[in-house]
Amino acid sequence: MASVDNLALLRWREMESIHVLRLLADHIKEDPSFHPRSSHQTTRWHVHVAGRDWEFLCTGPKFWDVRMERGGGGAIDLIMHLYTLKFKAAIAVLKERGI
C-alpha cells in the first residue's frame, strides 16, 4: 500500500459520516420521525451497504450504529466498521473509491 499524507488522513477523519454513507450506500433514507435527544444536529439514517441493512445516528463525522451499539468518527472508522476491515484496508477502499 502506498503511503498516505497527513492532509488526507485529516480530511478523512473530519469527513461527515453521512457524506461517506451517501457515497457507499446502495440505498439510504433519512428517518423523518427521528427527534434527537441531545444534539439537534443528529440525524437517523437507514442504509443498505455491503449487503446489509444498517441504522445509524450521524452527527458531523461521528456515527453510532444503533443495532450493534458501536460508533466512531470519520471516514476511516466508518469504512472499517461497515466492511470489517483493518486500518490499511480501509485506506485502500477510500483511495479506490476516490473519497
Side-chain angles (χ1 to χ4, degrees):
M1 181 184 97
S3 65
V4 178
D5 64 52
N6 288 334
L7 288 176
L9 288 174
L10 181 63
R11 184 172 58 85
W12 288 328
R13 287 186 178 131
E14 293 178 348
M15 190 173 287
E16 292 199 14
S17 54
I18 188 58
H19 178 71
V20 178
L21 288 172
R22 283 184 174 132
L23 292 172
L24 297 174
D26 298 316
H27 178 76
I28 184 167
K29 182 179 179 187
E30 185 174 8
D31 182 349
S33 67
F34 176 70
H35 300 289
R37 294 183 189 171
S38 56
S39 173
H40 295 295
Q41 297 174 340
T42 301
T43 53
R44 179 166 48 198
W45 296 85
H46 299 280
V47 185
H48 186 81
V49 177
R52 293 183 55 196
D53 291 318
W54 306 83
E55 182 180 345
F56 285 104
L57 299 180
C58 298
T59 308
K62 295 181 181 180
F63 65 89
W64 180 255
D65 180 336
V66 175
R67 297 173 186 170
M68 293 183 76
E69 297 185 349
R70 291 181 28 199
I76 299 168
D77 281 355
L78 186 52
I79 298 254
M80 289 171 64
H81 181 73
L82 289 169
Y83 296 101
T84 317
L85 296 174
K86 299 211 183 258
F87 181 82
K88 288 183 178 182
I91 295 293
V93 170
L94 287 163
K95 286 180 157 186
E96 175 185 299
R97 303 250 180 142
I99 298 174

